[in-house]
Amino acid sequence: MAYLSISNVSKQFGDTTVVDNFNLDIEKGEFVSFLGPSGCGKTTTLRMVAGFEIPTTGQIMLDGSDITDVAPNQRNVGMIFQSYALFPNMTVAQNIAFGLRVRKETDDMVKQRVQEMIALIHLEEHANKYPFQLSGGQQQRVSLARALAIHPQVLLLDEPLSALDAKIRVSLRAEIRSIQKSLGITAIFVTHDQEEALSISDRVVVMNVGEMEQVGTPFEIYNFPKTSFVANFVGSLNTSKATVVDPAGGILDMNGIRVHSESGVQGKKKGDVVMVAIRPERFSFSWEGKKENVTEGTVENITFLGSVVRVQLLIGGIKFNMDTFNRPSLTLPKIGEKCEVTFSSKAVLILDD
Amino acid sequence: MKLKFKSLWSWIWFLIGTLYFILPLYATLDFSLRMERDTIGFKAYRVAFADPKFVETFARSNILAVITIIVSIILIVPTAYWVRLRLPQARRIVEFITLLPFVIPAIILVFGMIRVFSTPVRIPFTDIILIQPLTTLIVNKFHLGTYILIVAGYMILALPYMYRAVDTGMRTVDVRTLTEASQSLGANGFTIMWHVILPNIRASLLSGALLTYAIVVGEVVLASFLGLDTFGPYLFLLGQHRAYEPSALTFVAFLLTWAAMGIIQLVSGEQGQTAGAH
């Protein structure tokens, strides 16, 4: 049985269904991210695990116990908030000690645990400072230490990096992941930032309008999106309709261009229309070597994005983005020029919807 | 040039405003120092402070103020907290109720209270008394019922100030998130209130308490009609029979108010720092 099991959970506010029949099993020590746009129900699901919202239907089991209706202060769950939620009247050490004091731990135990936690987040010299004397990143680290001090069974992180600047965000997410791995704690991380979710998680749950769209490893989510929502939400993508020409051979007709897909078109008949997706980085110029799915396109625009150059191509009347690494030896066609591009049959994804 | 002209006008208006407030106060101080003919001295203050009635009424008003403040905090803090956390839709109604003392004069309030609480509660259509009137509740010659009534009245008069102060304090700290953070760490309602909410709104509580204090100590109508010897009616009576002592006491009252304002500034400044970046 899974360590944390969310079964058939739905949540309604009045007539609005915010979470609809959510099912997920999380193993002990796993780091799972809920990824989705605003209003997709990811935070509500997290809040149901924390106990701040009671599911309208369904059940939440933690380590074999039903916690669906258990009060938040009776669940052994640590939570980190976007706004840090540190107690302004308490120092760093007092904030970390709060949960232990509530549990009536001995003074020696509290002192020792606070020191351990402060060392864990490398804020030894700030122990006696108040939250307002710390930077955003430091405050969030204190919040992490405070949540971990009580030895929670699950750590819940509600967009903990959203209020931080880009550089701190990257370093802190690595720190969170490293601490989570070293302690072996089960964690659920809510974010709307796909890069964050993909870089930090063992598994990602992509959510949309209260429903789970896809669950998988970051590799699966990025490379094999099952729905057009996932494909579009995670990374940039070219999509187009195509007609099945040869179901067994995976041959499709995309606005007059013959395309071979290795992901297969099982269950489809000749003449069926399917949604095809190709990531921009899966295209390459045919002079670079690969000779599969070769087609001609007209360069409409070229944009430099630092390490990547994005080439906008018009292929068979459809606009496609192609990303190629920016290297000194790179030869680019001019705008308006025709060029041959190629993409492997593995790059052609057939979406469910 | 235009800016300098504007700045000059600002200073002129500031000066006029200052004179408007300072001159009457200066006149009161000056008058209070001239009890002895052709000499400036503190005789009015000595006489006023030496009056045992002053000590008695001032002490009584202070005790009533402290009780009013404590009971107000016990009632208003959980109410404001609950409205902010669980009943945001009730906020307008609660705010409307808290503003009622501004539109209902104290005289109406006291007559209403006397009418309701000085008559017994009977079983309808009979003469059987169910509850004796509150004003007849006397313990060892101490009119407990009347004191309960006056504290309740003071609480109503101070409600707009106390509620607003507490509510503003709760707005400056994110009450909901702090509550949820405390809950996730295992805290119960009492711990959250005592260790998290109250310390973080202490400046607001203090300003609400000092405003309540100012209202209670100077209040005349409720005390007069309920027949209690407090500082407000004493000062009023003194003003009708004496000339210099009321001026002296008025000036002292001003100093006390200023001291209270200073304390509010000091504490809210400190809390502003601790609660600043959350």
Side-chain angles (χ1 to χ4, degrees), chain A residues 47 52 72-73 77 79 81 83 85-90 98-99 102-103 130-132 139 146-147 150, chain B residues 173-174 176-178 180-188 191 195-196 199-200 273-278:
Chain A
R47 288 174 63 80
F52 300 133
N73 62 344
V77 167
M79 179 118 176
F81 300 83
S83 59
L86 294 178
F87 307 128
N89 58 313
M90 298 180 200
F98 183 84
V102 165
R103 283 165 168 72
Y130 284 93
F132 79 93
Q139 287 189 59
R146 184 180 66 176
I150 58 168
Chain B
V173 289
D174 186 352
R176 176 180 288 272
T177 314
L178 288 185
E180 288 180 352
S182 316
Q183 284 178 323
S184 72
L185 293 165
N188 59 24
T191 308
H195 291 287
V196 179
N200 283 304
Q273 275 204 322
T274 52
H278 53 84

Side-chain angles (χ1 to χ4, degrees), chain B residues 181-243:
Chain B
S182 316
Q183 284 178 323
S184 72
L185 293 165
N188 59 24
F190 177 78
T191 308
I192 296 169
M193 188 57 80
W194 191 251
H195 291 287
V196 179
I197 305 299
L198 285 178
N200 283 304
I201 59 163
R202 69 175 195 277
S204 308
L205 280 182
L206 191 69
S207 58
L210 290 173
L211 286 168
T212 306
Y213 175 82
I215 289 166
V216 172
V217 169
E219 207 283 329
V220 179
V221 180
L222 256 68
S224 302
F225 281 89
L226 288 171
L228 293 177
D229 273 347
T230 58
F231 188 61
Y234 167 74
L235 204 60
F236 178 72
L237 279 174
L238 203 67
Q240 289 188 326
H241 300 106
R242 304 278 185 89

Side-chain angles (χ1 to χ4, degrees), chain A residues 312-324:
Chain A
Q312 199 175 69
L313 297 159
L314 195 68
I315 303 170
I318 307 162
K319 279 183 182 172
F320 283 91
N321 285 324
M322 165 186 167
D323 286 349
T324 180

